[in-house]
Amino acid sequence: MNMQTPPPRQSGKGDGRRKPNRLPKGRQVDPAALSEVQALLIDKPRRRDLLIEHLHLIQDHYGHLSAAHLTALAFEMKMALAEVYEVATFYAHFDVVKDGPPPPPVTVRVCDSLSCAMAGSEKLMAELAGKLGAEVRVVRAPCMGACDRAPVVAVGHMQTFKANDANVAAAVEAKPHPHAWHPATDFAAYQNAGGYTLLKDCLSGQRTRDDLIKVVSDAGLRGLGGAGFPTGRKWSLVRNEPGPRLFAVNCDEGEPGTFKDRHYLERDPHRFLEGMLIAAYVVEATDTYLYVRDEYPELRLMLLEEFARIESAGLAPHTKLHLRRGAGAYICGEESAMIESIEGKRGLPRHRPPYLAQVGLFGRPTLEQNVETLFWIRDIVERGPEWFTSQGRREKKGFRSFSVSGRVKHPGVKLAPAGVTMNELINEYSGGMLEGHAFKGFLPGGASGGIFPASMADLPIDFGTFEPHGGFVGSHAVVILSDKDDMKAAALNLIKFFEDESCGQCTPCRVGTEKAVKLMAQGPWDVDLLNELSTLMRDASICGLGQAAPNPLLSVLKYFPDDLTKPMGKW
């Protein structure tokens, strides 16, 4: 067999050599953009895990992320440009401009999640679009954690509550800064009232780690961010792993209807911070990372100041404190997605096992807790587990913080006994239904917890109650609906939220939510097809977002059949 050598590649000169490129490949670093990025970073570390923090610096200063600045940042951090782009384009609060003009200088975000939609945000959005001028863009946004003050509008990141066209226009004109309204705290007053005494007892050895684990276990304290995992058991699991161990605190409540973390941080942040430092002591975490959602800028600034006070007072010798800022991604409320975001990556949930207690942040065993769980630690240890377990109804134990919004007279965070029913929560704690509204249905656990009829309002609202009926209480985000609300429209609003917030990692969730929205919006509903699609999403999605996204749809199919025959309603 004859093997022939192929002819040489021609370069145009007939010498068989490849002509060299006249210009380097890819985007080149602009010296001016590099100088601007360096001026913002100054002496900050160029570590990979700080990528999102550095992107925030550029976004805050210039109002967007230009291609030149992203290229310069990649060069400065010695990262591939693709890595920087994939992170910058993942988060909703980063405005990436590859080519073309930058966005208008002012962005107005109108919340379109369920409680705000019920309060008229759709109409408000249409009104604002024609009144604020060319220098302002009006966009939709998911839940901002102020459902009790709906509708909510953010000018930049500063929120206007019970918004209307007049007060939003005034906020655009005023250009407020988070420092103008972040909640005041009194570190000295908290200490004078006995605050941080328990922490000092821990650090001095008067309280042992095993004693603390026993107390919270005897109290039955559970994770109150949604999963309800026993806190004492979680502490023990992490402690049994080899050090160094880390601690990640989840303050990224993004579930529509949830705002209890915000409530406690606005009113009593040091009780939470003391609980956080005690938990770090128990698991011997060398570093503690607090992840705060970007929708709470005033709380982030407050926490930075309180971290400095705590460290100056010598109250954190056992753990180094870090504050990390989210960037607009509901999925980062999922614990492993939050870990990825803290590491400066896209918030993609991890496959499990291994679990975070074994392989978590930076590959180390990691304790993950939410704000409300840590808030209760000081009171439980000082007052004893019997005090906590004595609270409750219908054989349930402890307190629960319900974020209540919707068609009630007095929405807000309601501290109630575990085991309270929805009828009791409405009538005893929320002032009853709004005038002219009859109780029709409720969400016991936010967007993913399902929608249930008023006929089930005498069930105790607690872990394990709604699971047999196709839902759950999750973070105890309660939204009340009335006879003025169409359940199909409510379910569609919730599924649209999941479509927007899907991280896109797995096909069942990414495509399933999109298909569900189309099928629900076009009507009439094909019940068999929607059930089949829901089963696929539940069985094959990687994380809880895709697995729970069909819950509101399935609830309407099961519990509100009369609504299926009616045209889609609007608020």
Side-chain angles (χ1 to χ4, degrees), residues 135 153 311 457:
E135 295 298 299
V153 172
E311 290 171 337

Side-chain angles (χ1 to χ4, degrees), residues 114 255 442-443 446-452 470-472 487-498 520 525 534 538 545 547-560 564:
L114 185 58
E255 184 85 9
F442 62 94
L443 282 66
S448 54
I451 307 174
F452 295 91
F472 48 80
M487 297 304 167
K488 287 200 301 182
L492 178 58
N493 177 282
L494 299 171
I495 298 293
K496 283 182 176 179
F497 169 80
F498 291 121
M520 294 166 70
W525 286 14
S534 298
R538 281 182 158 185
L545 190 154
Q547 294 162 9
N551 284 349
L553 161 62
L554 294 172
S555 297
V556 172
L557 294 177
K558 183 175 183 180
Y559 297 113
F560 300 95
L564 299 180

Side-chain angles (χ1 to χ4, degrees), residues 245-279:
R245 293 177 284 274
L246 303 176
F247 185 16
V249 181
N250 193 336
C251 184
D252 192 56
E253 55 178 358
E255 184 85 9
T258 306
F259 46 91
K260 62 181 180 175
D261 290 357
R262 180 181 204 156
H263 172 87
Y264 285 119
L265 288 175
E266 286 179 344
R267 288 158 178 79
D268 199 355
H270 282 284
R271 194 172 301 271
F272 151 71
L273 290 170
E274 183 170 9
M276 181 183 78
L277 292 168
I278 290 169

Side-chain angles (χ1 to χ4, degrees), residues 282-299:
V282 170
V283 301
E284 299 176 86
T286 58
D287 292 82
T288 297
Y289 291 81
L290 176 54
Y291 187 90
V292 181
R293 68 182 309 202
D294 200 29
E295 288 83 351
Y296 298 166
E298 75 287 4
L299 294 179

Side-chain angles (χ1 to χ4, degrees), residues 116-195:
C116 285
M118 294 164 65
S121 65
E122 290 289 339
K123 179 181 178 183
L124 177 61
M125 191 180 311
E127 292 173 349
L128 293 175
K131 290 186 177 181
L132 298 180
E135 295 298 299
V136 179
R137 64 170 175 168
V138 179
V139 298
R140 296 177 179 271
C143 185
M144 299 181 189
C147 314
D148 55 333
R149 293 169 279 186
V152 185
V153 172
V155 178
H157 291 310
M158 300 306 301
Q159 294 179 8
T160 298
F161 308 121
K162 296 187 180 299
N164 54 54
D165 54 352
N167 59 23
V168 172
V172 170
E173 184 67 25
K175 298 181 177 61
H177 187 275
H179 271 299
W181 66 295
H182 85 60
T185 65
D186 195 327
F187 179 50
Y190 180 79
Q191 287 188 297
N192 292 338

Side-chain angles (χ1 to χ4, degrees), residues 42 73 165 354 466:
I42 315 174
L73 181 63
D165 54 352
F466 288 92

Side-chain angles (χ1 to χ4, degrees), residues 27 30 32-34 36-37 55 58-59 62-74 81 84-85 88 94-103:
R27 290 188 183 269
D30 183 315
L34 181 60
E36 290 168 348
V37 168
L55 289 170
I58 301 171
Q59 173 80 35
Y62 292 100
H64 66 285
L65 300 174
S66 69
H69 284 140
L70 290 175
T71 304
L73 181 63
L81 182 56
V84 175
Y85 261 99
F94 292 141
D95 291 307
V96 177
V97 179
K98 294 183 179 180
D99 299 295

Side-chain angles (χ1 to χ4, degrees), residues 409-473:
K409 291 180 180 177
H410 305 303
V413 173
K414 311 298 178 181
L415 183 61
V420 69
T421 69
M422 193 61 66
N423 277 327
E424 292 168 342
L425 191 64
I426 292 171
N427 296 310
E428 293 181 32
Y429 292 87
S430 305
M433 296 293 293
L434 286 172
E435 295 297 331
H437 289 261
F439 182 30
K440 181 178 180 180
F442 62 94
L443 282 66
S448 54
I451 307 174
F452 295 91
S455 60
M456 298 176 68
D458 286 324
L459 291 173
I461 317 168
D462 206 28
F463 298 110
T465 302
F466 288 92
E467 281 81 350
H469 305 286
F472 48 80
V473 297

